[in-house]
Amino acid sequence: AQRYPAVAAADGTALIVWIDGRTSDRFALYGARLDSDGRVMDPGGVPLSTAPRLHMFPALACGPADCLVVWEEEHPSAGPITRVTDVVRDVMTLRWDGGAPGVPRVLAPGALGNHFTRVAAGGDRALVVWKDYRSGLAGGFGRLVGPLE
């Protein structure tokens, strides 16, 4: 079960990320590179985040030398969901520098609601945006992340 693919390219290499249920029903985050001839450089994919929590909705953007991958990951305090504001997920990020993925880090801990996280790169930085209900109403939030080298 593979879901929610996202793709971006830089310097002749494309990076594809997706949510993958090959090892559990919690769905981990995987990625793979394709070279400029379309050959898969990481057969089977590389696990990017395998925390034992639900992963969802990856997005990515690339700079000249690396890509920033963002996704939503179920927060450890997540409980039963009866309405949209019950959803509690962290907005996570990591860098992929052309060969090795970085260490995941939290951009927005415990964001409430449905998030729809997106990222765009420009120059040496990236802008990550999402929606959450921290004030009780839906609001847009963002954070600059950099540098992209």
Side-chain angles (χ1 to χ4, degrees):
Q2 298 169 333
R3 301 176 182 174
Y4 310 116
V7 64
D11 198 31
T13 302
L15 175 61
I16 301 169
V17 296
W18 67 92
I19 304 303
D20 195 303
R22 71 180 75 175
T23 60
S24 92
D25 64 350
R26 303 313 291 170
F27 293 92
L29 178 69
Y30 278 75
R33 296 167 296 152
L34 278 74
D35 68 17
S36 59
D37 294 324
R39 287 185 293 258
V40 177
M41 299 166 67
D42 306 296
V46 174
L48 303 178
S49 176
T50 58
R53 295 185 284 280
L54 181 64
H55 294 71
M56 299 193 66
F57 311 125
L60 68 151
C62 294
D66 65 358
C67 295
L68 185 69
V69 182
V70 297
W71 71 95
E72 298 169 24
E73 188 172 293
E74 182 180 46
H75 192 269
S77 70
I81 298 172
T82 60
R83 59 190 185 278
V84 71
T85 55
D86 290 340
V87 175
V88 183
R89 295 190 198 117
D90 296 329
V91 176
M92 305 290 294
T93 185
L94 64 76
R95 292 189 183 285
W96 186 316
D97 68 4
V103 176
R105 67 179 188 153
V106 179
L107 284 183
L112 301 172
N114 52 344
H115 307 111
F116 306 108
T117 304
R118 299 291 182 261
V119 61
D124 68 345
R125 297 193 295 174
L127 175 63
V128 180
V129 295
W130 66 93
K131 176 180 88 170
D132 76 35
Y133 290 83
R134 70 182 73 177
S135 66
L137 300 172
F141 298 89
R143 184 168 173 185
L144 281 172
V145 179
L148 290 174
E149 299 173 337

